[in-house]
Structure formats: C-alpha cells, structure tokens
Amino acid sequence: MQVRLFNTFGREVQDFVPIEPDAVGMYTCGPTVYDYAHIGNMRTYIFEDILRRTLEYTGYKVRHVMNITDVGHLTGDEDDGEDKMLEGARRKGMSVWEIAAMYTNAFFNDTDRLHILRPHVACRATEHIEDMIDLIRRLEEKGYVYIANGNVFFDTGKFESYGKMALLDKQELRAGARIEVDTTKKHPADFALWFTNSKFEHQTMMWDSPWGRGYPGWHLECSAMSMKYLGEHFDIHCGGVDHIPVHHTNEIAQSEAATGKKWVNYWLHGEFLLMNQGKMAKSTGNFLTLQGLVDSGYDPEDFRYLCLGAHYRSQLNFSEDSMSSARSSRRNLIERLVRLREAGPPAPLEKLNTPAREYLDEFAVAIRDDLNMPKALSVLWNMMKDENLGGGEKLCAAFAMDRVFALDLERAAVRENTLDRSLAALIEKREEARRNRDYALADSLRNELAGHGVILEDTASGTRWRRES
Ligand code: AMP
Ligand code: ZN
C-alpha cells in the first residue's frame, strides 16, 4: 500500500518512493542541549516518531539519524545573538560540556517517556568537527566560500537555486541587504560555516582548522553528519516549520553546492504548538516542559494523545482544557481495554476475523495518507465501540494500531488491571467488613480506596473495581 507524504519541496502530497526499494534513510534535526526541551519541541519529535513508525508499520526498514547540537547555535538562527551553549552554561554555573551532558540526558528521558523511538544514530556536533571541516574544504575548492572579518561564510549568491524549497524571493532577499547591520557579509542571507573571530570571549569549545582556531556554524553540522551516516543522497529530512526559511535552506545550499547533486528527496515539517495564542518558545518564556505537565498530574501519554488528535501540518493550541480532555479520552480508552483484558487475552493477529481486519485496513489507509492521525484515532474509537466485534479482536487490533500510536496500550491494559498489594488488601478487608455487616467500616474503606482513585462497584457476582476515569 502506497504511503503519501506532503513534501515541503514542491508543496504537494506525493507518493513516497524511497531510493532503495525497502530501506529508508531519515534525518531529523535534534535538540540544542543548552536547556530543557519544551513540549512544543516534543510535538515535533512526536510527529517525526509517527512518521518513522508509519514507515516501519508499512514494512520499510528505517535508518534514523539525529544530531545533538552542542556547539555553534546562536540564539538567532541567522548567526546573530548569543551563543546558546554559553548562555546555558552561565545560567547554570557549569561548563558547556557539563550542561551538554545534562540536557542530552534530560532530552532522552523526555523522549523515552513519550515512547519516541531513539534514533539509530544520535550524533554530537562536537564529535564531528573533522567532517565539518572537510565539508568546508569541499565548498572552498568549488569557490562557494569567502572570508570576512576572520569568519568563513557561504556565498549564497553563487548558489543558483538558493531558497527554492522555502520559496524565498531573491529580490526580497536582496532588498533585505539595505537594512543589514552585519556589514562583514556580502549578502544578508550568507551564513557562517566557521567562526574564528568569535565575539564570545568565554568560548571554550574551539578547534584548529585551516582557517584558524574556532568553531563551526550551526547549519553545517546537519549536512556533514547526515551525509556521513546516510550518504550524499537520502530520502527524508524533517524538522519544525521554523526551520524552512533559514536552517534547512542553508543546509540544502551547502550540501548541494558541495556534492553538485540533489541531497534530499522529501522534506517534512511539523507545525507549531501554540500557547496563549503564541508560538511556544523559550525566548518568550511562553513554554511548558514535559516534567511540568507530569507535576500537574498528567501522564506523558496524555500529551502524546493530545498530539495525535491534530494533523501535524495544523497548528495545535495547548490549553488546560485541551490537555484534560485528552487525558479523559485516553483514560476512557484504557478503561475499556482493561475490562476487555480482564475478560480474556487478545486474539492472535494471524487469525483476526474479517471485520477487525477491515478496521486495521482503514487504520493503515489513514496513517499512509500523509499521517492522518486524527482519522486513525477515530478508526480506533469506532472499532472499540463496535458491538459486533469480540473483546479479543478489539484488543488485538488496538495493540496492532498502537505500534504507531505508541500510547503503551498493551502495558496499560494490564498495569491498570493489577492493583498494588496494599490496595488489594483494602478491598479484601472491605469484603470481610461487608460479610460481617460492618457497613460503617466497609464505607470508610470504600472512601479510602476512592482517595487512591479506585472505584468499587458491588454487583450480583461480587465486588468489582475500576480506576477512576
Ligand atoms: P530547537 O531545539 O530550537 O532547534 O527545536 C527543536 C525542534 O522543535 C525543531 O524541529 C523546531 O522546529 C521544533 N519547535 C520549536 N518550537 C516549536 C513549537 N512551538 N511547536 C512545535 N515545534 C517546535
Ligand atoms: Zn538541522
């Protein structure tokens, strides 16, 4: 079955045809490890995870590479502002190497909690300085670089199709030159490949290079590392929409100028998570972290569920209401799965009956239609509510779909099904109180259990419990 994806390069939904028949090379821009990632960043990593899982569900073998930016990223994407790593180190009173290690760990801790698959290669910029220097050398040999004020710049005027993916207007770019403050560049769109004349006095991350001791510009790392691990021509490159006009535009320019051929076939970009009507961003202080959500009583999976409810190419408004409604829906789903699981195990996938299989087919059509996850979720809910389908079938199909949703449904259905010993002992004690007709004690035990989120229902066949939804 054909996967179709919206390619930013060309702005249309296209059939996905990988370079190799069954294998896919995929590069995603990773975090700058100077602070905690916020849930806006996490929305982008969830979208990329869904893309990878959809390709794997379809049968492709995906090789996923992601960079860890631990040098070179200034607060402005266009080589202006402060050095992010230095800013983070100063804020924490730690060395840049220490904060890089600390926030890299924090990043993977968050992505693990959101069931985002780890990349096959997670590569640090600081460990690939030689590769970056080699790439600048290639560009220099081909005449694409110039040195100004001690720094090495990419000459965008020499790259004919500069800005093609981003649909940048060359006239407009030139007009921008008039208000350009940095007079060292020939053109405002030109970008630094190597800084030697650092304006940052306390820069400790520096390396020798043919152009002097210094450090690489931010855009360079993604070109150098993606080509190292995926080859000079690969299938997919992703990021958030903010990367289209500068970061990805510059990545394309330097990669294709160096190799003289097409670099990436499909460009996918995730839309923003908004909060208080604005983009969720560190720079404005308008942001929340995953841990912040957990501290307010949400599970990481609630946030993943929230993201599944919106298409990746639509903006998503984060609010207390949207978050708590995602939590209720997810709990409702798990409650249903727990009840089915109590009644029996999932049916084997190979023996799934036709109606259940049809739901799975519908699910596959939705995810392959440019990752239509809202539609895929509605297929899951229709299936769960279908009274003509057996419990084992529902469990099996839901768990199969969860290979892409990644809400940890299989474990939740069982985990929520087992109470820890102290709560189970309270239920037994209440049973005993009821047998002894000590209704006051039985009621107080019922309230105690409710305080732990366990609701009791006395039925003709005995007392049943469920988690509060
Ligand atoms: P950064 O660490 O700033 O490079 O961001 C990491 C990823 O998160 C990039 O792919 C960004 O495009 C993306 N991103 C940043 N802010 C948001 C947001 N508010 N919503 C969704 N994605 C975002
Ligand atoms: Zn990148």
Side-chain angles (χ1 to χ4, degrees):
M1 212 185 298
Q2 185 66 57
V3 174
R4 289 174 58 76
L5 300 170
F6 183 86
N7 194 346
T8 306
F9 213 122
R11 302 286 197 285
E12 62 177 5
V13 178
Q14 299 170 346
D15 286 352
F16 174 66
V17 184
I19 298 164
E20 307 246 331
D22 300 317
V24 177
M26 167 172 164
Y27 183 86
T28 58
C29 289
T32 304
V33 283
Y34 74 114
D35 202 343
Y36 294 107
H38 57 65
I39 54 172
N41 304 133
M42 286 301 149
R43 180 186 186 203
T44 293
Y45 298 116
I46 289 172
F47 135 64
E48 293 162 346
D49 184 59
I50 285 166
L51 170 61
R52 173 172 159 188
R53 287 173 179 274
T54 295
L55 294 168
E56 288 178 348
Y57 188 91
T58 304
Y60 291 114
K61 183 159 175 35
V62 179
R63 178 166 164 83
H64 177 195
V65 178
M66 186 185 76
N67 62 310
I68 305 282
T69 301
D70 51 3
V71 66
H73 195 175
L74 308 191
T75 45
D77 287 350
E78 299 175 73
D79 300 335
D80 55 346
E82 269 208 277
D83 180 310
K84 285 191 178 186
M85 296 300 292
L86 279 182
E87 186 213 286
R90 198 176 43 238
R91 187 167 25 83
K92 279 279 173 197
M94 294 160 91
S95 77
V96 273
W97 301 97
E98 284 167 341
I99 65 153
M102 178 173 104
Y103 289 120
T104 304
N105 284 341
F107 173 77
F108 282 117
N109 187 27
D110 280 356
T111 56
D112 286 351
R113 288 194 287 174
L114 288 165
H115 310 297
I116 294 169
L117 296 169
R118 290 208 181 193
H120 302 100
V121 179
C123 38
R124 288 180 176 75
T126 50
E127 289 169 6
H128 295 78
I129 301 296
E130 272 309 309
D131 301 292
M132 292 189 234
I133 290 175
D134 283 349
L135 189 57
I136 304 176
R137 266 210 207 96
R138 284 174 81 178
L139 291 169
E140 190 174 36
E141 276 161 20
K142 293 192 167 187
Y144 284 103
V145 314
Y146 63 91
I147 295 176
N149 202 18
N151 298 321
V152 183
F153 287 99
F154 182 91
D155 190 343
T156 55
K158 296 246 170 80
F159 186 68
E160 192 42 43
S161 59
Y162 185 80
K164 193 170 172 199
M165 178 188 68
L167 307 177
L168 297 181
D169 183 328
K170 283 206 164 171
Q171 291 301 105
E172 265 177 39
L173 280 178
R174 226 154 265 137
R178 278 182 240 119
I179 49 158
E180 176 62 27
V181 194
D182 184 350
T183 50
T184 64
K185 292 198 239 175
K186 283 201 218 168
H187 186 282
D190 294 352
F191 54 93
L193 298 165
W194 189 264
F195 292 101
T196 59
N197 191 11
S198 171
K199 56 181 170 176
F200 308 114
E201 285 171 31
H202 306 295
Q203 183 63 271
T204 50
M205 291 175 153
M206 301 244 249
W207 295 264
D208 289 328
S209 84
W211 312 277
R213 200 165 163 74
Y215 59 99
W218 170 46
H219 314 298
L220 191 62
E221 64 180 86
C222 290
S223 295
M225 298 195 284
S226 64
M227 290 201 265
K228 174 166 184 159
Y229 295 108
L230 294 170
E232 290 184 354
H233 181 210
F234 60 91
D235 299 298
I236 300 178
H237 194 313
C238 309
V241 284
D242 54 333
H243 283 346
I244 300 172
V246 180
H247 183 49
H248 288 168
T249 290
N250 292 348
E251 284 185 26
I252 293 171
Q254 66 203 358
S255 305
E256 299 194 351
T259 65
K261 61 186 183 204
K262 191 172 173 71
W263 180 41
V264 169
N265 283 350
Y266 299 88
W267 285 87
L268 273 78
H269 292 97
E271 254 299 348
F272 283 149
L273 184 70
L274 306 181
M275 192 166 81
N276 306 323
Q277 313 305 326
K279 178 195 166 191
M280 183 168 287
K282 290 253 177 59
S283 52
T284 55
N286 188 34
F287 71 93
L288 273 174
T289 60
L290 184 66
Q291 188 55 45
L293 282 187
V294 169
D295 292 341
S296 329
Y298 293 106
D299 289 328
E301 290 86 356
D302 294 330
F303 181 66
R304 189 162 174 122
Y305 192 98
L306 177 78
C307 292
L308 293 172
H311 191 266
Y312 76 93
R313 283 195 288 119
S314 310
Q315 294 187 333
L316 170 59
N317 261 312
F318 177 88
S319 67
E320 198 54 45
D321 281 354
S322 61
M323 195 60 217
S324 78
S325 105
R327 174 169 61 189
S328 311
S329 304
R330 193 185 68 89
R331 285 191 176 172
N332 183 350
L333 174 64
I334 288 172
E335 178 61 27
R336 286 166 186 262
L337 292 170
V338 165
R339 283 174 182 267
L340 296 177
R341 190 68 192 77
E342 271 176 346
L349 189 58
E350 327 73 69
K351 292 190 187 151
L352 208 57
N353 63 20
T354 307
R357 206 152 268 292
E358 281 170 358
Y359 281 112
L360 274 184
D361 290 345
E362 221 187 314
F363 166 82
V365 168
I367 60 172
R368 286 168 194 155
D369 177 15
D370 193 29
L371 318 180
N372 191 343
M373 300 316 288
K375 174 78 197 306
L377 262 190
S378 79
V379 174
L380 169 69
W381 275 106
N382 290 344
M383 192 235 2
M384 291 301 291
K385 290 177 181 168
D386 186 338
E387 287 169 6
N388 297 319
L389 221 58
E393 263 72 36
K394 287 183 183 177
L395 287 170
C396 171
F399 296 161
M401 293 179 194
D402 201 43
R403 282 167 46 204
V404 180
F405 292 134
L407 294 166
D408 207 17
L409 296 181
E410 198 160 354
R411 205 139 58 99
V414 176
R415 185 181 59 210
E416 308 268 325
N417 192 17
T418 45
L419 278 183
D420 59 62
R421 272 190 213 166
S422 58
L423 296 180
L426 284 183
I427 294 179
E428 259 179 46
K429 215 164 143 190
R430 178 175 172 274
E431 288 291 275
E432 198 184 312
R434 265 162 52 88
R435 277 195 300 275
N436 297 334
R437 295 177 189 275
D438 184 350
Y439 296 116
L441 177 61
D443 281 352
S444 92
L445 288 166
R446 174 200 282 275
N447 291 340
E448 196 177 336
L449 283 156
H452 288 95
V454 176
I455 308 299
L456 298 182
E457 280 164 14
D458 297 318
T459 69
S461 58
T463 301
R464 293 169 61 110
W465 65 268
R466 65 177 171 83
R467 295 264 181 208
E468 193 179 20
S469 52

